[in-house]
Amino acid sequence: MSIFGAHKVIDCDLHNELPALKALYPYLPDYWVDYCNESAFVGPDVNDYPKGAPTTARPETTPPGGGPPGSDLGLLRTQALDAWNAEFGILNCAYRVSSVHNQDLAAALATAINRWQIDEWLAKEPRLRASLVVASQNPLLAAEEIDRSGQHPGFVQVVLPVRSEAPYGNRRYDPIYAAAVRHNLVVGIQYGGAPGHPSTPSGWALTYLEEQAGMAAVFQSQVISMVIEGVFDRFPTLRVALIEGGFTWLPSLMWRIDKEWKGLRHNTPWVRRLPSEYMREHMRLTIQPIDGPANPVHLRQIIDQIDSDAMLMFATDYPHWRFDQPTDALPVALEEPLLTKILSENARAFYQLG
Amino acid sequence: MSIFGAHKVIDCDLHNELPALKALYPYLPDYWVDYCNESAFVGPDVNDYPKGAPTTARPETTPPGGGPPGSDLGLLRTQALDAWNAEFGILNCAYRVSSVHNQDLAAALATAINRWQIDEWLAKEPRLRASLVVASQNPLLAAEEIDRSGQHPGFVQVVLPVRSEAPYGNRRYDPIYAAAVRHNLVVGIQYGGAPGHPSTPSGWALTYLEEQAGMAAVFQSQVISMVIEGVFDRFPTLRVALIEGGFTWLPSLMWRIDKEWKGLRHNTPWVRRLPSEYMREHMRLTIQPIDGPANPVHLRQIIDQIDSDAMLMFATDYPHWRFDQPTDALPVALEEPLLTKILSENARAFYQLG
């Protein structure tokens, strides 16, 4: 029993962390093992969640035997799946091969980490589903990996970092979307990434706090790009999950993009419906971290303003520390059937589970 | 009488457009006039509002005698000041000297356009106040111009484009803030700009629609930067107006930045209060263009979620075409004293008018 009583949840954002680069050696060709041993490479140079930042991990999630939080299946089982009475949990591995400049190495690491996910996570825990890691800086190599590993029934998603080399509406990413559709996989866009671009459209912010608070603005620009550059017109069955980006900015973005579209739609004739309709049809958002208003009435207003009961999906963001009390996971009282939809049924339909 | 009956308004966003580069020649040293005549320079290479885009100008604002919309004082008087029963109107000249790579030319243009504003607008219409144009890409030159022209009582603001070379919280901009405070001027951050950076944190968007819809995200990143990098701790009397950026994203941003600050505030110890408190104290927003929800109940919820009756300031954004009917300027029924605050008193207090 969790705070949701008899409700089973589908937790749409669990993080499985690689304990160390060496854990991938059994899955890497000798060439790349030799390369890793002789070079300066120790893993992608990305710090979406710095190891000592309090928001990165709940204290109890550090494995007693060593390794980073999120690297221990046993702890994830008890602290996330069991604690929340989860029917399914979706792993979003944040190993950022997209930031590795050697794209051949990046692609080899992606293949390796996906095989590692099969052996160490999917094979050992039937409630888990996982997300394919791909070298998204090279969409052709990424599509090859989706074709290679996407056959495994445990994978339900391709995960991409929200910070990218080009806006995700750009046609350079079409091979990824085509492959995702081909294998009936969701494309999950996740907090973080380090493509080399500054973290804001005005250049580099100085502090991690700015980067973290500003990530919601990066999500907004990606949503605009995907809808307006016509991704969903080119791939009418594509489904996109927005993961760890918050959702209270969603109504404002829907209003703004609809309004601007009305004035300028003749420039983008392929966008045939209101942008917000594409969003409601093709996009879903995980609820944690909630950009939480202190007043639950305000949170409820935002949920109503979204004007869809299908878009929000429960998530704990385990092992990140984004709320203190279990009751803060969804800090507003919701009536049925909305509660059940958010806790499980929206994700079940979107990820086509069970 | 306007749609607001006997209410007088303070219109915080009117655009006075330069009819042509030659209009600045009387105010430019011979050296720069010669330079303009012999070089390829025809003005800043910026297209925040392309001349043919329907959102750029209401049809009736084009002067019958020629020149761009917003360049004719007579039309601005009747179509904006008289039509809305304005007690004051604040000009925000969007001549983007900040995008001129020759910074000496940019500074000379700034001085010239500010003298042109005095002669052609402030001297001729007592209801008008104006905003200093400065070469913000070089804050030392910008501060010199603020010291030079900021003495004129008609200037109430220094205007900066929201798209900038560095986030506005960066200390490189301190000379501008120090000069603004010295002359008791508001710093106005306005839609647009072309600093050379891509328009999104993930690179270049392809369409103007994306740029326009995405500008709200640029505003958000600038607000985060200014609060978290400590601008208001270094300049406790600084006032910042956010112009043409919408406001329905404000509650979500306040919630998010407050939440992230609680987890990471030890990294930015100079930020001593909730970020949203800095925003409510130091920042104001113009209401047009409203990122309009179709449902006025939702708009009212957003206004309440801001949790301050002091932050919104009336504006028409003349001559831009951002609403069709006069009643759409503020498409929600508001009770007193909130209505009067938004229509005039918030701006009167912030700009210290009359």
Side-chain angles (χ1 to χ4, degrees), chain A residues 11-12 17 25 68 94 106 111 133 140 143 146 171 175 188 195 201 206 211 240 250 272 279-280 293 299 303 321 337:
Chain A
D11 189 339
C12 293
E17 290 287 324
Y25 283 5
T111 303
V133 172
L140 296 175
I146 296 170
R171 266 164 290 194
L206 300 191
E211 182 174 326
V240 171
L250 185 63
R272 282 181 290 265
M279 293 161 68
R280 290 193 188 89
L299 184 59
I303 291 172
W321 193 358

Side-chain angles (χ1 to χ4, degrees), chain A residues 63-306:
Chain A
S71 65
D72 187 301
L73 173 59
L75 287 183
L76 181 137
R77 252 195 208 114
T78 55
Q79 296 175 339
L81 297 175
D82 295 347
W84 290 94
N85 194 18
E87 181 181 356
F88 295 103
I90 297 175
L91 299 170
N92 291 311
C93 181
Y95 198 70
R96 299 289 186 220
V97 302
S98 299
S99 293
V100 176
H101 293 299
N102 185 323
Q103 298 183 356
D104 292 307
L105 173 57
L109 289 169
T111 303
I113 204 153
N114 291 331
R115 291 183 56 198
W116 170 81
Q117 292 197 86
I118 292 171
D119 287 355
E120 297 298 326
W121 299 86
L122 294 175
K124 294 181 175 176
E125 172 50 63
R127 288 172 290 183
L128 290 178
R129 298 293 180 273
S131 302
L132 287 169
V133 172
V134 296
S136 56
Q137 71 274 51
N138 187 318
L140 296 175
L141 291 176
E144 283 179 22
E145 174 58 21
I146 296 170
D147 283 333
R148 185 181 299 116
S149 300
Q151 308 285 359
H152 190 286
F155 288 111
V156 295
Q157 181 164 259
V158 178
V159 66
L160 306 177
V162 71
R163 291 181 59 197
S164 59
E165 268 188 26
Y168 279 130
N170 195 294
R171 266 164 290 194
R172 77 168 75 173
Y173 294 109
D174 280 4
I176 294 177
Y177 306 140
V181 165
R182 198 154 57 234
H183 295 278
N184 199 23
L185 299 168
V186 169
V187 168
I189 297 181
Q190 182 184 37
Y191 176 102
H197 291 309
S199 54
T200 89
S202 311
W204 289 103
L206 300 191
T207 67
Y208 178 56
L209 171 50
E210 288 165 85
E211 182 174 326
Q212 203 169 87
M215 203 68 77
V218 186
F219 274 92
Q220 292 167 56
S221 66
Q222 295 287 19
V223 171
I224 293 169
S225 172
M226 296 187 85
V227 172
I228 301 302
E229 294 190 19
V231 170
F232 303 111
D233 300 284
R234 299 196 294 283
F235 302 98
T237 60
L238 183 66
R239 296 163 279 152
V240 171
L242 306 176
I243 300 165
E244 295 187 65
F247 65 84
T248 61
W249 45 264
L250 185 63
S252 173
L253 178 67
M254 286 175 161
W255 302 331
R256 182 175 181 91
I257 192 172
D258 282 356
K259 173 170 183 165
E260 303 299 350
W261 175 79
K262 286 174 187 168
L264 296 166
R265 56 185 288 194
H266 56 290
N267 285 340
T268 56
W270 53 87
V271 183
R272 282 181 290 265
R273 293 177 292 148
L274 280 171
S276 62
E277 292 180 27
Y278 288 85
M279 293 161 68
R280 290 193 188 89
E281 179 178 331
H282 293 275
M283 293 183 155
R284 301 291 181 267
L285 301 91
T286 65
I287 64 164
Q288 277 295 337
I290 288 182
D291 303 322
N295 184 343
V297 172
H298 291 168
L299 184 59
R300 179 58 203 242
Q301 289 170 346
I302 295 287
I303 291 172
D304 289 342
Q305 289 167 7
I306 293 171

Side-chain angles (χ1 to χ4, degrees), chain B residues 44-46 96-101 137 193-196:
Chain B
D45 187 19
V46 180
R96 298 289 187 221
V97 303
S98 300
S99 293
V100 176
H101 293 298
Q137 71 275 53

Side-chain angles (χ1 to χ4, degrees), chain A residues 25-89:
Chain A
Y25 283 5
Y27 306 102
L28 280 173
D30 290 345
Y31 173 85
W32 288 117
V33 173
D34 292 345
Y35 175 88
C36 291
N37 281 329
E38 86 175 42
S39 73
F41 184 77
V42 293
D45 187 20
V46 180
N47 268 303
D48 298 333
Y49 280 97
K51 69 179 164 142
T55 49
T56 298
R58 298 176 171 279
E60 70 274 17
T61 62
T62 298
S71 65
D72 187 301
L73 173 59
L75 287 183
L76 181 137
R77 252 195 208 114
T78 55
Q79 296 175 339
L81 297 175
D82 295 347
W84 290 94
N85 194 18
E87 181 181 356
F88 295 103

Side-chain angles (χ1 to χ4, degrees), chain B residues 77 93-94 127 138 152 179 199 202 208-209 222 226 228 237 240 269 298 306:
Chain B
R77 251 193 208 117
C93 181
R127 287 172 291 182
N138 187 319
H152 189 286
S199 54
S202 311
Y208 178 54
L209 172 51
Q222 294 286 18
M226 295 188 86
I228 302 302
T237 60
V240 171
H298 291 168
I306 292 171

